[in-house]
Amino acid sequence: MAPPPILALALPSETGRVLSIQSHTVQGYVGNKSAVFPLQLLGYDVDPINSVHFSNHTGYPTFKGQVLNGDQLWELIEGLEANNLLFYTHLLTGYIGSVSFLNTVLKVVDKLRSINPGLTYVCDPVLGDEGKLYVPRELVSVYREKVLPVASMLTPNQFEAELLTGLRIVSEQDGREACNTLHSAGPSKVVITSINLDGDLLLLGSHHKDKGQPPAQFRISIPKIPAYFTGTGDLTTALLLGWSNKYPDNLGKAAELSVSSLQALLVRTINDYTRAGHDCRSSSLEIRLIQSQDNIRNPEIKYRAEMYD
């Protein structure tokens, strides 16, 4: 008797099939726990590979668990390939803690594109934030020299964009120039997810649609919330993947939807912690992802992209 078809391949969703290589926690929402559910809500089939499997995120006093190495990642890819399961429309990557694992991810990109040359690779280059590196410094050069040339969309924060371009970002024009530098290295879509300029918070996006033409660039003003949340970067990149695929020629629209979803979720998180009697400024907060699914599926656009001339 012939085995039944894999319906995700035989009858693919209109949106796509995503391989997401990120961290995983049993409790809480970071990495794949923050990215898979929103993408599924937006209609994507998502296959997660967990680069780490921890009890909770590392901001807690202690954590336990296991770390996947490059050989183990490749073994999973070989298992998928042996069963003809390796067709994906998108690859999504987040936190990667070692050069060896990142080099294996690059092998995965090559393998996936040998099967689907049109694969979109969305990369969140998690390196650090606010002047502090989270990873070994040698990862920066690997991202610069090997990852940028194969990435389709890049979603760094301000510090990461500075690391990858060697430019200081102290103005909006600096941010736009950083996007241009990143475009020249590879990705046609760049979203600097947060830029802090004199106390104002911005998202800055850039889509280089045609060679020889300047990129379409925009800004979105974001309200500052006096609290620290975990998993928001992973969620933001997942939302940008989801919406930019639905609006492939309108990155500004995709960013409006993503920011509006995220801000509604953060407001709900703050309100719920406050109702529980917690001082939201005293510690990092776990996001209220499940409770915000309507805001993810059908966000009300409250934050608008302002195009640059």
Side-chain angles (χ1 to χ4, degrees):
M1 182 182 294
I6 306 299
L7 292 181
L9 295 173
L11 301 173
S13 69
E14 294 180 0
T15 45
R17 187 163 183 250
V18 181
L19 180 65
S20 180
I21 304 175
Q22 300 196 61
S23 59
H24 172 87
T25 57
V26 176
Q27 194 279 330
Y29 294 97
V30 298
N32 270 332
K33 284 282 291 288
S34 190
V36 172
F37 179 64
L39 283 169
Q40 290 171 332
L41 285 177
L42 294 177
Y44 295 81
D45 286 311
V46 187
D47 292 347
I49 292 180
N50 299 324
S51 57
V52 307
H53 193 147
F54 287 165
S55 55
N56 44 266
H57 70 70
T58 56
Y60 282 87
T62 186
F63 63 93
K64 301 287 185 179
Q66 300 81 39
V67 178
L68 197 72
N69 62 39
D71 290 340
Q72 292 166 327
L73 169 60
W74 194 246
E75 186 177 2
L76 293 172
I77 297 299
E78 288 179 327
L80 291 167
E81 185 179 27
N83 292 291
N84 296 314
L85 298 173
L86 212 51
F87 182 91
Y88 291 96
T89 58
H90 296 78
L91 172 66
L92 172 62
T93 62
Y95 174 80
I96 294 169
S98 71
V99 169
S100 62
F101 196 89
L102 184 54
N103 281 327
T104 305
V105 167
L106 288 162
K107 285 177 60 181
V108 173
V109 176
D110 289 342
K111 173 63 73 175
L112 295 182
R113 284 197 170 136
S114 73
I115 296 166
N116 175 20
L119 175 92
T120 296
Y121 175 24
V122 177
C123 173
D124 181 5
V126 182
L127 297 168
D129 198 7
E130 296 181 347
K132 180 183 177 183
L133 271 174
Y134 298 156
V135 299
R137 181 164 286 278
E138 55 265 30
L139 271 170
V140 177
S141 61
V142 180
Y143 272 104
R144 247 194 228 140
E145 297 164 15
K146 297 182 179 181
V147 177
L148 292 184
V150 299
S152 310
M153 179 161 73
L154 198 74
T155 62
N157 60 32
Q158 180 176 358
F159 177 59
E160 291 158 349
E162 290 176 335
L163 286 173
L164 293 171
T165 62
L167 303 173
R168 288 276 291 135
I169 300 175
V170 295
S171 68
E172 291 183 48
Q173 184 59 38
D174 292 340
R176 296 176 66 186
E177 290 177 8
C179 288
N180 292 338
T181 299
L182 292 169
H183 286 315
S184 67
S188 61
K189 294 179 180 179
V190 176
V191 179
I192 304 179
T193 55
S194 59
I195 299 179
N196 196 332
L197 298 175
D198 299 322
D200 294 325
L201 198 60
L202 302 175
L203 175 146
L204 201 153
S206 185
H207 186 187
H208 195 194
K209 300 179 184 181
D210 301 304
K211 289 184 178 179
Q213 297 294 321
Q217 296 184 324
F218 61 88
R219 71 194 289 274
I220 298 178
S221 295
I222 303 171
K224 294 190 79 170
I225 297 176
Y228 177 76
F229 306 88
T230 55
T232 54
D234 308 315
L235 173 58
T236 299
T237 297
L239 293 171
L240 286 166
L241 184 162
W243 289 115
S244 66
N245 187 57
K246 295 188 177 192
Y247 296 95
D249 295 318
N250 193 342
L251 185 59
K253 174 82 167 180
E256 289 176 343
L257 289 157
S258 301
V259 169
S260 296
S261 282
L262 178 65
Q263 291 300 311
L265 176 147
L266 296 183
V267 169
R268 173 175 280 102
T269 300
I270 285 282
N271 289 342
D272 285 356
Y273 272 103
T274 301
R275 283 172 51 212
H278 181 70
D279 179 359
C280 294
R281 292 168 294 184
S282 65
S283 60
S284 64
L285 308 178
E286 299 273 14
I287 57 175
R288 298 287 275 172
L289 189 68
I290 304 304
Q291 295 76 10
S292 303
Q293 57 188 283
D294 290 342
N295 302 112
I296 293 167
R297 193 186 287 111
N298 296 300
E300 178 186 354
I301 296 180
K302 293 185 176 181
Y303 303 94
R304 299 287 180 178
E306 302 171 58
M307 302 302 298
Y308 290 107
D309 295 331

